[in-house]
Amino acid sequence: MPIIDAGQLFETSIDYLIVGGGTSGLAVAARLSEDPKVTVAVIEAGDYHKGVPEVDLPGLATRAFGNPKFDWAFCSTPQVHANNREV
């Protein structure tokens, strides 16, 4: 499962392109790639954070919250049923 840049992706013949590497996207990609004749690519927004503890270790995931390196900091509008807090 190599990590490639956009230029390499454009030069590669693929059978399936999965947009979004979340739980569902990776599950679909894993199932499709069980066929050795099929080439599957997954694209995901953001940087590749190899060897970063906040990404690799589930117990440290909360350290990524609010850190602009990992968190896009999207907030909802004030929620009436959450005491007008943004979530």
Side-chain angles (χ1 to χ4, degrees):
M1 173 171 39
I3 303 297
I4 62 175
D5 63 32
Q8 293 170 305
L9 179 61
F10 292 131
E11 295 172 357
T12 303
S13 175
I14 60 173
D15 299 299
Y16 297 98
L17 176 63
I18 309 296
V19 179
T23 306
S24 298
L26 293 179
V28 169
R31 290 297 304 270
L32 289 170
S33 65
E34 289 175 0
D35 181 349
K37 296 176 282 192
V38 170
T39 301
V40 180
V42 178
I43 59 172
E44 176 67 328
D47 294 328
Y48 179 47
H49 301 289
K50 182 176 182 175
V52 176
E54 292 86 346
V55 175
D56 292 342
L57 302 172
L60 299 180
T62 56
R63 289 185 183 179
F65 298 158
N67 181 337
K69 182 177 178 181
F70 310 107
D71 184 354
W72 293 1
F74 290 133
C75 289
S76 68
T77 57
Q79 301 297 300
V80 174
H81 300 292
N83 200 21
N84 287 322
R85 288 179 297 172
E86 295 178 357
V87 182

